Amino acid sequence: MSAALDEQCVNTLRFLSVDMVQKANSGHPGMPLGAAAMAYALWTRYLKHHPADPHWADRDRFVLSAGHGSALLYSLLHVTGYDLSLDDLKQFRQWGSRAPGHPERGQTAGVEVTTGPLGQGLANAVGMAIGEAALAASYNRAGHQVIDHRTWAIVSDGDLMEGVGSEAASLAGHLRLGKLICLYDDNYVTLSAAADITFSEDRAKRFEAYGWQTISVADGNDLPSIYAALDSARADTTRPSLILVRTHLGFGSPEQDSFEAHGSPLGVENVKKTKEKLGWPLDPPFLVPAAALAHFREALDRGAKSKADWNGRVEAYTKAYPALAKELQGRLRGELPPGWDAAIPIFPADAKGMATRAAGGKVMNAIASKLPDLIGGSADLDPSTYTALKGLGDFNPAITAGESAQGSDGGGWSYAGRNLHFGVREHAMGAIVNGLAAHGGFIPYGSTFLIFSDYMRPPIRLAALMGLHVVHVFTHDSIALGEDGPTHQPVEQLASLRAIPDLTVIRPADANETAVAWRVAVETRGRPVLLALTRQALATLDRSRFASAEGLRRGAYVLSDAPQGKPALILLASGSEVGLILAASERLQSEHIAVRCVSMPSWDLFNAQPQSYREQVLPPDVPARLAVEAGVGQGWERYTGERGDMLSVERFGASAPAGILMREFGFTVDNVVARARKLLAR
């Protein structure tokens, strides 16, 4: 390669990006101008990818965590041969464009994850690196390396400032994820100011303290130094690497090193001045010189060769280990193994019952041995969320003499372990399980108390936006968790989470509904599922008296009905309050009031049903409806209607035993009966 061709290729990336932003009159030109050289170095010499097959399983993963620099990623995708045309680039940030303002998974070929909120992409990359390590440890055998790839990311000051980035980087260092390499666009500028106004710590020392290898490159346009840094990063497989590359935001423009170049188009005159300074033709815009394109498109041949080599390795592996190969290929295709759910228990009727968190733990451990895809853990709450997969190992570097194994779930420490210990890092946990799902080959889960979903809302929302198959297990789902008080008692969280599009929220009423909820969670594709489970024991309903728990699949179902199915009153509830409406129903029916009880564990599943089914459960000619749920009532009015009523919690909780709290907040049979009578008397 000649230095002249290198420079032409780097400038091609710069000015495709600048022209995109200028034509759209919207975007971030500064980052592509400054970071183009390191992106060029990575994509042409180090990144193992196949533009003709963006979903090839053993490709390297690349994450542009600094998603505001999306124009740079789109330029790379176009010139290396992905299905992203020059016309697509010209529609940057426009309606229906395949080049949206921030990278979006599923909308643009070659985009691994949706990045925008800073820090998320970095944490996603940690999840992807965990995924590679877990699959490699589980399936590779001596002489048969079928899983062998790296995870790369370009990160910004904002990614390192956001707490989620710090949480994820800390865990990555602890886990010694040596195949994770991040290039830090160290340009000394944020969107609104020089970085020094808010960010003066020694970033290298901080990451060294996390357990990362750190490498500094003094000049972000010095390709030999960047190559040397990337070589050093690849050579150290015992630590993740952060390469601090000193770049210049808006390089070559009149606004170089100024925040003015960060988030606004340069303007026609400044685009002209920048092109003149860097020796680039003023016209035509969106210029891709033939020599540069030919060099970039070598990625197609390299990718084809890499995939062919992998296919050969897979063929040899399949002959040597046919059962393992079949299992791995099924996982990579997202297929469920036959009989995965055969051991799920059917819980006998029991007035004492069990907490749905306990039932969930039993179901998870019943399916785990037949479902190798299932991997996850909690934010330091396994003893409370009951989500440990017993005896299936801890995802951790091998234990060394003197290290404490307290809290281990059994089965040893290795990268083949199925239990992830996230520590007290809820935000990173959510983003890391997103990375695992995006990597492929996993049904990942994370767990904590429902109240701490507040710390996880950004990655939950992004999982829904990306259509990722992730399971969130949230326990302690109401004020009935008791003495910990209002700081730990969720009130508005269910309503808030139900408001997220494309997220399936399920709050089961007993152990058997929980078992069905886990079946739904595993079988679901293309969206995340959230389970809200109780701390307190709930009666296991007698299904010979009440409808089958399979009704949960439809979101809401008639649990018990009035004679001849002609109710005067409908009682609705989810989760722990279902038992309450059943008890109230018995009292009301003894007074010759025809009552229907509806268990409504999932609004999302119910709303997806045909209108005929929804009207069958909630007949329009029965306006007397009382909904009961230990949370805010927001949203229930769509099911209770104008003439219905709601028993809910419209204030924060209090510190007291669960039984007292439920009584004081009105969740008693007497109060439900009284509210029902008042409703009927209207």
Side-chain angles (χ1 to χ4, degrees), residues 123-124 127 375-377 420 422 428-438 444-447 456 459 468-472:
N124 294 160
I375 182 174
L420 287 167
F422 292 101
M429 175 174 69
I432 287 168
V433 295
N434 283 354
L436 272 163
Y445 68 90
S447 66
M456 296 176 61
L468 294 176
H469 186 197
V470 169
V471 182
H472 296 289

Side-chain angles (χ1 to χ4, degrees), residues 7 48 133-134 188 200 221 253 270 291 304 327 331 354 377 391 447 513 528 533 548 555 570 577 583 627 634 638 654:
E7 183 178 5
K48 182 176 72 170
Y188 293 20
S200 56
N221 293 313
S253 75
N270 280 349
E327 181 179 284
R331 286 181 63 173
M354 68 178 71
S447 66
E513 275 199 10
L533 307 177
S548 167
I570 299 176
E577 288 71 67
Q634 181 178 332
R638 76 184 69 177

